Amino acid sequence: MKPFGYTITKDRQIDFDANDREVTGFINEVEPSIRLCMGCGSCTATCSAGHFTDLNIRRIHTFVQRGELQHLKKEIMKCMLCGKCQLVCPRGVNLRNLILSIHTALEKSGI
Amino acid sequence: MTFNLFVLPFMLGLIFLIISLVKKNRNWIREMDSTDRKKLKSGLHSPKLIIALKEIFFESLLHRKMFRRNPLLGFMHMSFAFGWFLLIVFGNMESRIYSGFWINPPYYPIFLKFFIHDKHVLPFEIFTVPGFFRFSMDLILVFILSGMVLAILKRSHSKWFGLKSNTQLQFSDKVAMTCLWLIFPLRLVAESFTAGAYGYGGGFVTQHLGNVLAYLWPLNDKDVAYSFWWMYSLSLGIFFVTLPYSRYMHIPTELVLILYRNFGILPRKGSEYLSEVEVLSCPRCGICIDVCQMDTAAGIHNIQAVYFLQSIRNQQVMENIATRCLVCGRCQQACPVEIHADYQRIIQREFFQKSQRQDYSYLRKETTPRAEVIYFAGCMSHLTPTIPRAMKKILAVAGVDYLFLDEDRSVCCGRPLMLAGKSAQAEDLIQQNKRKIMDSGANTLVTSCPICYRVFREEYKLEIRILHHTQYLLELIKKGKVPLQAYFRKVAYHDPCDLGRGSGIFNEPRELLRKVADPVGIKSDGKDSLCCGGSLALLNAGTEEKNMITRQALANYLEGDPEILVTACPLCKKTFAKLSPVEVRDIAELVEEAIPR
Amino acid sequence: MSKSAIIIGGGAAGMETASQLARLGIEVDLIEKQSRLGGHLNSWDRLFPNRRDSKEVFEYLEQDMNDGISLHLNAEIETILKAGDRFTLSLRDGKELHSDALVIATGYEVFDARKKEEYGYGIYDNVITSVELEEFFRNNKQKNLFEGIKSKRVGIVHCVGSRDEKAGNLYCSKLCCVTGVKQAIEIKELMPDAEIFCFYMDLRMFDRHFEEMYYEAQEKWGIQFIRGRLSEASENPDHTLLLKLEDTLTGLPLKMKVDLLILLVGFIPSPETRRLAAMLGLKEGDDRFLCPADEHTITNSTTIPGVFLAGTVKGPASIASTITDARSTALQVATYLK
């Protein structure tokens, strides 16, 4: 008899407790300035790559803090590291180092 | 009888050292690509060799540049280097007098006072040939010993010499250092005991010291002396053997570096062996610490070039130290050996970034309209709209057929990626921009941003003229295309790191500025100018640390009370504007303002 | 000899402190560097939250002042010296004044929007500040401002020069949000078919009736609030402005064209205040505003006996709270002088 089952759809909500936030902790330690983000969005607004593709660094940062890291690897590959985001940030978040630390953190944890 | 068993440690050590150096150099030459090898060959047969030898004399021996920055440090290094050199040269000449041969075994001049005891020469007899040499050898020995006292003081009171803290010494460093410090005192004692035992043969120091020693230890002085000659030979031998594994490798490597540099062999892609040569050449003088703004302004003491190069030598490079540098070029500028510390810093960053990919496939091919001149304002100029606006006005007045390539949106020039160590990944961006520039058919590329300017010149391999806007505007003015009626306000000019030290462009911005304003004198100017702190290469630093650097730079530029602080870089402009009590403007803005309406 | 006090600054705080002290029988010298009293009160048209005419408040404060006050207009201070319990002020015109107490009520200045170059103030035609807008309303010059507007779209940018490390000011200027909402309503009143957008990071509607004003702005006037901070504005050939921001609530970058851009500029500590404070050895906070002796319990005196503070020298404050603060200062001064 053929196996018969239902497709299990993933939750469309953030299950905060289920997320492994160890990688988040590592990134926050390497670049503590990211804790200052107030979500104003100037970074995303000024992004050079944003003219060509949908790179949203504010959202990337928020996902990092929530522990939702799965699809970030592809996202951060789009960044040109030009530094405009960092230059407009009113809180002085070191965004370029955030991108580089996400790279390192994802590599280290094998995601 | 001109041989004794005790010379063996010295001889064996020397042979080992020579073989070691030959092997190392052969490896380096083997790793050279054909371009560098050609340069080496042609250099050796050209006047460049004489220039190199002259530099070796003035820098490796006399330490002239070091002397100028820090006389105490310079004296210390000079006494060892030049003193030892003189000992060898004079020693060889002295030994020729006594052996009668032109060629003597290497140990003979070193241990001359063991083998010959000339009773016909008095210690203070300067005006006979042997007397002159006798006197000089002692004098040189004293010279070296005075430097040695300083060296010992440097380890315990390093602040007097510029090194804020002494870095960890490896085991081989400790052994080599101990032996080096023993060599000359042992020579002094050995020669003195011998002179005392015989009653003659010594110089003005060694004879008198010898006589005192003979008085204090009247028995078996010849045996005592013999044991000291053994120790002298051993200390030399062990020093030679440990040298290739210690920081003193800088002595022979410096010479090679100077030769290579004078032959035009400079760090670039394809010359990885040169990194090793540069790393080993660091004499650890500590001058790079004195000029590093991270240290003087932000109180960060562990990232300077000397420490970083040491970490490379010991293969203990830490990523967070590699990323914590302005790459402003001040250390490179001040280095008496001209080590390209900035370049080495970025190479190390490359190692940490090797595995990480970027994906720019979202960039599509775009059609580019034709134009004679391409104006590339740079990413940062979107945040300083006054600069491209001024440029547009000036270009319109001058009637230039130009295309503002990144007016609506920009593909980054690629240098920020390279500064982060991702030069391979920057290729995609470079190709995108390059294609657009070539498609336009332009013969000139003008940019407002020194960071872009540098990468256009160094990496893009474009066949057209590449100019920073200060150079282009000066050209237009000289051709009479831009009428000026300037206010000549009192201003201070800040050389952006990538334009000044990075690209060697100091004169054109100043010439342009003098046509529209009245620049005041500045303490740290030109090649010594201070970094604004906004560096894109500083990946790992806090906001307050950067602010401290900005404030230090501001204090320097605003000392002469200018009305305006003028710069030629949008990033510098934004960084200074944050904290400057005085208006910050770009040169282009001043030029545009001076155009009569 | 009756005790005297010198009040430096003839704005709302200075005026009210002077009135109260004079009423208590203390000799008052009021020093003002401009040619008239009122300070920034003269810059506003209608005050939040009830949009009443600022001239009414000024007249109230003026009438309260009486003959016990010696007024010195156009007076600039050269030096201040404290000897024992006495203060000696030397004015630039040579006059010398003495007193037993000193009140610093020198107020604030407004952030220079040219520092935020990327918003185009001073570069593009149709970018103005909230202060300039108030001036237009006050002098009935709205017609000039709104005449050329075609599609009638107005953008209002919050937090210009405040909460911004890049502008050198980390603090919140408190009152710009409610000012923006007020001005949005006022513009909509003039141009009922205009579209007004407020670009904010947070809406700080902290005081009584402020939140209700926000409610009214949305419900009655149809003002639209977009949560996103402008990264840059550029000018179109027709002098309209192209704005770039992220609409954070949808998570998508947004660009839009507006005819007029109004920048809500914040408070900055005035350089003159800082100069006087340095002369007296008064303590400045990290935000460069002056510090009272205690943040909760002694908010009108400083650590220097005889030196008092009133109003916005201590930080952003509304006119209502400034007047209340001034009265509190007067009480402290009177107690001290007894």
Side-chain angles (χ1 to χ4, degrees):
Chain A
M1 181 161 118
K2 273 207 190 134
F4 173 59
Y6 302 96
T7 345
I8 300 174
T9 47
K10 188 173 184 296
D11 260 5
R12 295 190 80 240
Q13 68 176 2
I14 297 174
D15 188 345
F16 197 80
D17 296 316
N19 281 343
D20 175 11
R21 300 183 64 241
E22 209 184 295
V23 181
T24 304
F26 172 78
I27 297 174
N28 272 274
E29 237 183 81
V30 168
E31 187 46 63
S33 73
I34 65 173
R35 295 174 301 184
L36 290 170
C37 175
M38 51 171 161
C40 73
S42 335
C43 48
T44 304
T46 200
C47 176
S48 292
H51 291 294
F52 303 96
T53 185
D54 60 350
L55 177 61
N56 187 327
I57 184 153
R58 181 197 53 85
R59 205 192 223 162
I60 288 173
H61 164 265
T62 313
F63 278 141
V64 165
Q65 299 292 45
R66 304 288 177 269
E68 301 266 322
L69 299 153
Q70 298 83 336
H71 55 278
L72 286 189
K73 193 174 184 123
K74 266 184 66 200
E75 288 302 304
I76 55 175
M77 292 206 288
K78 301 177 187 170
C79 171
M80 298 190 205
L81 279 185
C82 70
K84 280 180 78 184
C85 50
Q86 202 166 309
L87 202 58
V88 291
C89 178
R91 279 287 176 90
V93 176
N94 188 337
L95 285 152
R96 288 170 87 234
N97 206 19
L98 169 63
I99 300 275
L100 293 172
S101 352
I102 297 176
H103 261 306
T104 312
L106 292 179
E107 223 175 71
K108 269 189 153 173
S109 60
I111 297 179
Chain B
M1 179 53 177
T2 56
F3 177 82
N4 192 296
L5 221 52
F6 83 86
V7 312
L8 278 179
F10 165 77
M11 283 304 290
L12 293 172
L14 184 63
I15 291 169
F16 177 85
L17 177 61
I18 291 175
I19 293 175
S20 188
L21 290 177
V22 167
K23 268 175 78 178
K24 209 79 219 183
N25 274 282
R26 236 195 18 203
N27 282 341
W28 287 334
I29 294 177
R30 213 180 271 157
E31 282 177 47
M32 275 187 196
D33 63 7
S34 54
T35 332
D36 285 348
R37 213 169 289 181
K38 249 187 251 165
K39 287 190 184 156
L40 179 61
K41 266 208 199 123
S42 68
L44 285 169
H45 296 108
S46 73
K48 290 192 189 143
L49 181 60
I50 310 292
I51 299 174
L53 289 174
K54 190 176 128 187
E55 188 178 335
I56 288 176
F57 182 76
F58 279 109
E59 297 306 330
S60 298
L61 292 178
L62 294 182
H63 291 88
R64 202 175 46 167
K65 270 193 217 165
M66 209 185 280
F67 217 93
R68 255 187 246 149
R69 288 259 179 189
N70 185 338
L72 211 55
L73 197 65
F75 179 78
M76 187 195 102
H77 280 253
M78 181 177 83
S79 67
F80 263 97
F82 194 49
W84 205 346
F85 174 74
L86 286 176
L87 267 187
I88 296 171
V89 169
F90 276 51
N92 267 287
M93 294 202 273
E94 195 186 18
S95 64
R96 233 147 261 173
I97 301 170
Y98 292 99
S99 78
F101 295 113
W102 278 106
I103 300 178
N104 296 299
Y107 60 81
Y108 187 65
I110 311 284
F111 304 116
L112 191 67
K113 297 280 160 46
F114 174 82
F115 294 112
I116 60 109
H117 313 95
D118 190 347
K119 64 157 82 167
H120 302 293
V121 181
L122 297 171
F124 282 104
E125 198 184 299
I126 310 180
F127 297 109
T128 62
V129 171
F132 169 74
F133 280 105
R134 179 79 56 86
F135 181 79
S136 308
M137 291 302 278
D138 265 30
L139 186 63
I140 297 166
L141 188 57
V142 168
F143 174 50
I144 297 177
L145 287 171
S146 68
M148 236 200 67
V149 169
L150 290 177
I152 295 172
L153 279 174
K154 183 178 169 205
R155 280 221 74 80
S156 53
H157 291 90
S158 54
K159 285 198 181 63
W160 297 353
F161 293 83
L163 267 175
K164 293 280 192 310
S165 60
N166 283 314
T167 41
Q168 302 289 51
L169 292 175
Q170 308 280 89
F171 178 69
S172 54
D173 287 326
K174 287 191 188 142
V175 173
M177 185 174 76
T178 314
C179 289
L180 181 63
W181 284 356
L182 285 173
I183 290 172
F184 298 101
L186 283 173
R187 181 192 170 103
L188 177 70
V189 171
E191 289 192 347
S192 301
F193 262 111
T194 303
Y198 279 81
Y200 53 79
F204 71 97
V205 173
T206 45
Q207 189 62 60
H208 295 107
L209 180 60
N211 294 340
V212 169
L213 291 170
Y215 176 75
L216 293 172
W217 285 283
L219 301 164
N220 297 327
D221 280 342
K222 288 212 178 112
D223 290 337
V224 175
Y226 189 55
S227 54
F228 274 104
W229 283 110
W230 261 101
M231 287 197 271
Y232 177 36
S233 176
L234 270 166
S235 66
L236 275 167
I238 299 175
F239 178 68
F240 290 150
V241 166
T242 52
L243 187 145
Y245 308 103
S246 75
R247 48 176 277 214
Y248 298 105
M249 189 57 181
H250 84 82
I251 302 169
T253 316
E254 231 177 83
L255 312 179
V256 172
L257 185 64
I258 292 176
L259 276 172
Y260 286 175
R261 190 186 340 111
N262 277 285
F263 296 159
I265 299 172
L266 292 168
R268 57 177 176 78
K269 237 179 250 154
S271 64
E272 276 73 39
Y273 70 93
L274 201 55
S275 292
E276 192 187 20
V277 178
E278 288 208 331
V279 166
L280 291 175
S281 294
C282 173
R284 292 172 38 90
C285 61
I287 287 175
C288 53
I289 305 175
D290 282 345
V291 299
C292 178
Q293 286 172 260
M294 297 282 273
D295 179 288
T296 55
I300 299 168
H301 303 306
N302 60 345
I303 55 98
Q304 283 71 28
V306 59
Y307 305 126
F308 188 63
L309 292 171
Q310 164 129 5
S311 73
I312 302 176
R313 179 166 75 82
N314 299 333
Q315 296 180 316
Q316 288 168 342
V317 184
M318 305 193 48
E319 188 175 4
N320 62 344
I321 302 236
T323 50
R324 201 158 154 76
C325 168
L326 292 161
V327 189
C328 64
R330 283 175 61 81
C331 53
Q332 205 164 282
Q333 177 70 34
C335 178
V337 189
E338 290 186 42
I339 294 174
H340 297 84
D342 282 355
Y343 195 82
Q344 301 306 331
R345 184 90 56 171
I346 296 181
I347 289 179
Q348 291 303 312
R349 291 180 186 185
E350 299 264 348
F351 289 133
F352 290 109
Q353 298 297 325
K354 261 202 168 78
S355 56
Q356 293 168 7
R357 301 263 152 273
Q358 300 293 121
D359 179 10
Y360 301 122
S361 52
Y362 56 79
L363 292 173
R364 300 257 164 275
K365 189 170 184 334
E366 287 173 23
T367 48
T368 317
R370 310 275 301 174
E372 292 227 341
V373 174
I374 294 264
Y375 173 55
F376 189 91
C379 295
M380 295 300 171
S381 305
H382 289 185
L383 299 170
T384 53
T386 44
I387 300 179
R389 201 177 158 86
M391 284 301 289
K392 278 165 82 171
K393 289 215 179 110
I394 301 172
L395 292 173
V397 164
V400 177
D401 168 28
Y402 75 95
L403 170 66
F404 189 162
L405 193 62
D406 55 342
E407 184 161 18
D408 292 321
R409 51 192 194 163
S410 56
V411 174
C412 181
C413 63
R415 187 161 158 79
L417 274 172
M418 302 179 79
L419 290 171
K422 288 176 180 276
S423 55
Q425 293 87 335
E427 264 310 301
D428 284 341
L429 299 183
I430 293 178
Q431 287 314 312
Q432 263 283 316
N433 279 327
K434 206 172 156 180
R435 202 181 309 131
K436 284 195 218 164
I437 295 169
M438 303 311 291
D439 281 352
S440 74
N443 54 40
T444 311
L445 170 60
V446 177
T447 179
S448 288
C449 174
I451 299 169
C452 305
Y453 173 75
R454 218 175 146 179
V455 73
F456 287 149
R457 246 183 38 169
E458 291 176 8
E459 302 290 334
Y460 271 58
K461 312 221 187 337
L462 290 164
E463 315 241 298
I464 62 176
R465 277 199 323 156
I466 301 169
L467 299 172
H468 181 256
H469 75 219
T470 48
Q471 297 173 296
Y472 190 59
L473 293 182
L474 185 63
E475 214 178 78
L476 288 177
I477 291 174
K478 282 186 171 169
K479 283 190 193 158
K481 298 211 167 159
V482 184
L484 292 177
Q485 216 175 46
Y487 297 116
F488 288 107
R489 281 180 286 192
K490 211 171 137 197
V491 304
Y493 175 63
H494 157 73
D495 293 277
C497 295
D498 266 340
L499 191 65
R501 278 185 295 270
S503 305
I505 296 179
F506 297 100
N507 295 329
E508 281 134 312
R510 284 174 168 75
E511 214 187 314
L512 178 64
L513 189 60
R514 278 194 292 268
K515 293 197 186 292
V516 294
D518 176 27
V520 302
I522 297 160
K523 190 161 160 221
S524 294
D525 198 12
K527 289 203 178 120
D528 289 325
S529 61
L530 293 174
C531 179
C532 69
S535 162
L536 273 178
L538 181 57
L539 294 168
N540 176 7
T543 309
E544 197 42 48
E545 287 165 339
K546 286 194 251 197
N547 286 347
M548 289 197 255
I549 295 173
T550 308
R551 285 194 201 104
Q552 185 193 50
L554 278 174
N556 175 52
Y557 290 109
L558 301 181
E559 213 180 321
D561 252 334
E563 265 181 73
I564 303 177
L565 172 56
V566 181
T567 181
C569 168
L571 186 52
C572 294
K573 183 182 180 189
K574 213 76 188 77
T575 310
F576 277 137
K578 196 204 308 192
L579 297 171
S580 169
V582 152
E583 233 187 309
V584 184
R585 324 247 338 248
D586 188 281
I587 289 186
E589 293 180 67
L590 293 183
V591 172
E592 190 264 328
E593 221 177 54
I595 297 176
R597 296 280 174 260
Chain C
M1 196 172 74
S2 71
K3 296 290 195 163
S4 64
I6 293 179
I7 300 172
I8 308 177
M15 289 168 79
E16 186 60 14
T17 314
S19 310
Q20 298 296 328
L21 282 176
R23 201 170 290 149
L24 292 171
I26 293 167
E27 269 178 45
V28 176
D29 279 286
L30 180 56
I31 300 178
E32 167 55 47
K33 72 171 189 265
Q34 292 186 332
S35 56
R36 56 177 182 157
L37 293 173
H40 277 103
L41 192 50
N42 297 322
S43 310
W44 314 133
D45 177 46
R46 282 162 290 168
L47 305 176
F48 52 74
N50 52 11
R51 292 160 58 207
R52 59 99 64 80
D53 193 340
S54 72
K55 291 203 189 87
E56 290 172 10
V57 175
F58 178 76
E59 273 156 23
Y60 172 92
L61 292 173
E62 204 182 22
Q63 274 166 13
D64 224 22
M65 295 175 67
N66 56 47
D67 307 318
I69 303 170
S70 308
L71 197 53
H72 307 266
L73 295 172
N74 293 306
E76 285 185 47
I77 298 178
E78 188 74 52
T79 54
I80 307 178
L81 285 167
K82 180 172 193 249
D85 288 333
R86 296 281 289 170
F87 293 93
T88 308
L89 261 77
S90 317
L91 301 180
R92 218 150 266 174
D93 60 10
K95 263 196 273 186
E96 242 185 42
L97 301 167
H98 305 273
S99 75
D100 304 291
L102 199 58
V103 178
I104 312 286
T106 44
Y108 64 95
E109 273 180 29
V110 154
F111 176 75
D112 181 359
R114 280 175 307 174
K115 274 186 150 192
K116 288 302 280 182
E117 217 188 306
E118 56 266 42
Y119 292 167
Y121 181 71
I123 308 170
Y124 310 142
D125 291 340
N126 291 318
V127 180
I128 62 170
T129 66
S130 50
V131 179
E132 285 172 326
L133 183 65
E134 288 288 321
E135 232 179 83
F136 273 109
F137 284 140
R138 203 174 151 102
N139 304 326
N140 271 308
K141 292 227 183 82
Q142 306 88 296
K143 214 161 163 260
N144 308 2
L145 189 59
F146 298 128
E147 199 139 67
I149 292 185
K150 298 176 190 79
S151 57
K152 294 194 176 170
R153 265 237 201 111
V154 180
I156 300 177
V157 183
H158 291 233
C159 299
V160 178
S162 314
R163 304 181 68 197
D164 188 355
E165 187 260 322
K166 301 298 192 292
N169 305 323
L170 284 176
Y171 54 85
C172 167
S173 288
K174 221 160 96 166
L175 301 152
C176 332
C177 276
V178 64
T179 303
V181 173
K182 175 191 78 97
Q183 290 181 335
I185 295 175
E186 287 169 335
I187 298 171
K188 190 75 189 223
E189 247 182 352
L190 284 173
M191 298 196 296
D193 47 349
E195 282 183 285
I196 323 272
F197 295 89
C198 283
F199 303 107
Y200 69 99
M201 298 201 277
D202 296 288
L203 276 179
R204 306 231 150 141
M205 312 303 277
F206 62 93
D207 219 346
R208 191 172 183 196
H209 300 309
F210 286 9
E211 178 66 16
E212 288 88 327
M213 199 179 205
Y214 173 34
Y215 186 102
E216 183 191 320
Q218 289 184 299
E219 194 214 33
K220 183 170 172 199
W221 303 99
I223 314 289
Q224 296 193 56
F225 291 86
I226 301 184
R227 188 183 181 280
R229 183 173 175 269
L230 224 65
S231 67
E232 59 222 61
S234 45
E235 201 181 31
N236 293 321
D238 62 355
H239 297 289
T240 56
L241 301 153
L242 183 65
L243 307 180
K244 289 208 183 89
L245 57 135
E246 192 212 353
D247 183 355
T248 60
L249 295 174
T250 57
L252 298 168
L254 187 153
K255 71 171 196 229
M256 68 189 279
K257 194 168 75 153
V258 298
D259 294 293
L260 179 67
L261 193 63
I262 299 168
L263 304 178
L264 295 173
V265 284
F267 286 63
I268 59 166
S270 84
E272 179 62 12
T273 306
R274 301 185 74 200
R275 186 180 73 94
L276 298 177
M279 275 196 258
L280 288 162
L282 296 178
K283 189 161 171 274
E284 260 184 14
D286 286 335
D287 54 7
R288 301 168 337 263
F289 288 101
L290 299 187
C291 290
D294 184 287
E295 215 169 329
H296 291 101
T297 55
I298 312 178
T299 55
N300 298 98
S301 322
T302 65
T303 47
I304 314 269
V307 180
F308 298 86
L309 304 174
T312 52
V313 282
K314 294 180 282 179
S318 65
I319 289 172
S321 57
T322 299
I323 296 176
T324 310
D325 191 51
R327 294 183 179 144
S328 174
T329 303
L331 184 60
Q332 300 307 309
V333 176
T335 314
Y336 170 80
L337 289 176
K338 254 228 249 154

